[in-house]
Amino acid sequence: MTHKVTLLPGDGIGPEVMQEATKVLECLRDEFGCAVEWEDAAVGGGAYDIFDDPLPAATLELAKSSDAVLLGAVGGPDWDDLPRAKRPESGLLRLRSELDLFANLRPAILFPELADASALKSELVAGLDLMIVRELTGGIYFGQPRGVEQRDNERVGFNTLIYRESEIERIGRAAFEVARRRSKRLCSVDKANVLESTQLWRDVMLEVARDYPDVELTHLYVDNAAMQLIREPKQFDVIVTTNMFGDILSDAAAMLTGSIGMLPSASLDANNKGMYEPIHGSAPDIAGRNMANPLAMIQSVAMMLRYSMAQARLSDAVEAAVAKVLQNGLRTADIHTEPHTRVGTAEMGDAVVAALRSAA
Ligand code: NAD
């Protein structure tokens, strides 16, 4: 079976890093016999300029008919003043919701070679490799009722933290599956001591756990989890949590690694169809200058191989190639320190492909 992938390069540095991901896909197809084909489509500000829509119908249709989507990044100052629905970021949100991508996987990986980039002591973070699984389509960001209204002569703001048991169960199962592919340890983060909806979260996680006797499930309250992430991040392997807690904890975990140009992410539906993208944005300040770090994008390809294409061996090979170029001392500007060799976007991509090819 040939895997069909939609490539959405997007805006700013998106097309530059996608170019390097495409070189990796070509190498996987030509040297490793990976059955994969791809097609480009427009999204974001560039799509708005041509089609008056940041998510044109043809793009959505192509994404829906694919096995996976690779996204560069969208947005930039040219489109900041548009009405909200026309803004590049709205196109992206619509795409995630149209594809029903409810499970957001955000790894925080710190290659030992880059431990100096972290704000934490290097022995605390060197070799860090944890995964946060965040519920992405429910919880307080979507709950009704919500709003600001006048009550008793003052304004009142309110939101609703609501989870259905089926929503908790499906993110729970996704997280247990991820933990099964890693070291079989899962920590569920909630605030069950104060919030009834997250007591239900904990209860459902315990029920789902019965189907995964090989995975060790633990629980932490979110305040303790935040503290533990900073105190001893390497104690974690996989963390599963609600939309809002995951939003906050995954940014904190990303910053433990200190290098935004290095981190990929995945958003999956119930059938492991997914959208894979770097966590960084379109970086307009460095766009078009061959300065962007393509390694987050390339590692997004590795995640796609693992989670949507069931090609764990090829995923390992891509990750090993990235580790190899770092061991060889190559660094883009964002992660560069002396005495390492500073390279541009294209040179970094070429080096990863050379390392991958030598492993073929
Ligand atoms: P950003 O991630 O684009 O950039 C933040 C800083 O990190 C900048 O200094 C940038 O140069 C640097 N950086 C980012 N990626 C890098 C890489 N691969 N290599 C080297 N340096 C890198 O965040 P921002 O500046 O807040 O946002 C810029 C635009 O991107 C905005 O329009 C924003 O809405 C959009 N955005 C899009 C996404 C997405 O497409 N998923 C995510 C975040 C922000």
Side-chain angles (χ1 to χ4, degrees), residues 13 73-76 89 92 260-261 277 280-286 292-293 334:
I13 62 169
V74 301
E89 295 80 359
L92 193 51
I260 195 171
E277 54 184 307
H280 62 70
S282 60
D285 52 330
I286 57 167
N293 185 345
D334 56 312

Side-chain angles (χ1 to χ4, degrees), residues 13 17 71-77 79-80 87-89 92 96 260-262 277-287 291-297 332-335:
I13 62 169
V17 294
L71 175 92
V74 301
W79 305 285
D80 277 350
R87 289 181 57 164
E89 295 80 359
L92 193 51
R96 288 188 185 132
I260 195 171
M262 293 293 302
E277 54 184 307
I279 69 159
H280 62 70
S282 60
D285 52 330
I286 57 167
M291 279 177 72
N293 185 345
L295 296 180
M297 187 78 241
T332 43
D334 56 312
I335 52 172

Side-chain angles (χ1 to χ4, degrees), residues 133 168 171-172 175-176 185-192 198 200-206 216-222 225 236 238-242 245 249:
V133 180
I168 303 171
I171 190 70
F176 274 100
R185 286 184 298 122
L186 177 64
C187 177
S188 171
V189 171
D190 59 42
K191 189 72 182 167
T198 73
L200 179 67
W201 176 279
R202 186 176 287 213
D203 294 345
V204 174
M205 286 295 159
L206 284 165
E216 181 201 351
L217 174 68
T218 55
H219 307 270
L220 278 183
Y221 297 136
V222 64
F236 294 108
V238 182
I239 291 174
V240 61
T241 191
T242 64
F245 295 164
L249 292 181

Side-chain angles (χ1 to χ4, degrees), residues 292-323:
N293 185 345
L295 296 180
M297 187 78 241
I298 289 172
Q299 292 182 97
S300 301
V301 173
M303 286 192 87
M304 175 179 80
L305 290 161
R306 190 175 307 279
Y307 292 105
S308 284
M309 293 169 62
Q311 297 277 359
R313 195 179 57 82
L314 295 185
S315 180
D316 290 344
V318 172
E319 285 168 358
V322 169

Side-chain angles (χ1 to χ4, degrees), residues 40 58 90 111 152 184 187 222 241 266 272 288 292 358:
D40 273 40
S90 301
F111 290 89
D152 302 328
K184 300 186 168 53
C187 177
V222 64
T241 191
N272 285 332
S358 71

Side-chain angles (χ1 to χ4, degrees), residues 178-350:
V178 170
R180 232 179 207 173
R181 292 188 176 123
R182 294 171 52 104
S183 76
K184 300 186 168 53
R185 286 184 298 122
L186 177 64
C187 177
S188 171
V189 171
D190 59 42
K191 189 72 182 167
N193 50 343
V194 181
L195 300 170
E196 288 81 357
S197 52
T198 73
Q199 179 64 54
L200 179 67
W201 176 279
R202 186 176 287 213
D203 294 345
V204 174
M205 286 295 159
L206 284 165
E207 287 159 24
V208 174
R210 290 191 206 124
D211 292 340
Y212 297 86
D214 52 323
V215 176
E216 181 201 351
L217 174 68
T218 55
H219 307 270
L220 278 183
Y221 297 136
V222 64
D223 42 348
N224 191 14
M227 198 167 75
Q228 296 300 330
L229 261 182
I230 309 300
R231 194 182 73 85
E232 197 194 339
K234 284 195 271 186
Q235 71 183 280
F236 294 108
D237 186 46
V238 182
I239 291 174
V240 61
T241 191
T242 64
N243 200 343
M244 183 164 72
F245 295 164
D247 190 5
I248 299 165
L249 292 181
S250 63
D251 267 22
M255 281 328 293
L256 292 176
T257 75
S259 40
I260 195 171
M262 293 293 302
L263 296 176
S265 75
S267 305
L268 305 179
D269 77 359
N271 303 310
N272 285 332
K273 175 174 171 157
M275 182 152 89
Y276 299 84
E277 54 184 307
I279 69 159
H280 62 70
S282 60
D285 52 330
I286 57 167
R289 295 165 61 192
N290 193 35
M291 279 177 72
N293 185 345
L295 296 180
M297 187 78 241
I298 289 172
Q299 292 182 97
S300 301
V301 173
M303 286 192 87
M304 175 179 80
L305 290 161
R306 190 175 307 279
Y307 292 105
S308 284
M309 293 169 62
Q311 297 277 359
R313 195 179 57 82
L314 295 185
S315 180
D316 290 344
V318 172
E319 285 168 358
V322 169
K324 182 88 182 142
V325 298
L326 294 173
Q327 280 154 18
N328 290 346
L330 300 194
R331 304 280 189 273
T332 43
D334 56 312
I335 52 172
H336 180 254
T337 50
E338 291 301 341
H340 301 294
T341 312
R342 187 169 158 159
V343 295
T345 311
E347 294 74 26
M348 187 58 108
D350 290 341

Side-chain angles (χ1 to χ4, degrees), residues 50-131:
I50 302 170
F51 303 102
D52 192 39
D53 185 349
L55 181 63
T59 298
L60 180 58
E61 207 173 299
L62 187 66
K64 281 186 167 170
S65 69
S66 306
D67 302 306
V69 178
L70 272 182
L71 175 92
V74 301
D78 291 354
W79 305 285
D80 277 350
D81 297 328
L82 291 174
R84 189 152 293 278
K86 298 276 184 188
R87 289 181 57 164
E89 295 80 359
S90 301
L92 193 51
L93 290 178
R94 196 143 53 86
L95 183 56
R96 288 188 185 132
S97 107
E98 288 277 351
L99 297 179
D100 202 16
L101 305 173
F102 67 89
N104 184 214
L105 275 50
R106 293 253 314 240
I109 302 163
L110 184 53
F111 290 89
E113 294 80 6
L114 302 180
D116 290 342
S118 174
L120 265 60
K121 286 191 212 118
S122 67
E123 64 267 25
L124 279 181
V125 287
L128 177 72
D129 180 1
L130 70 86
M131 174 78 84

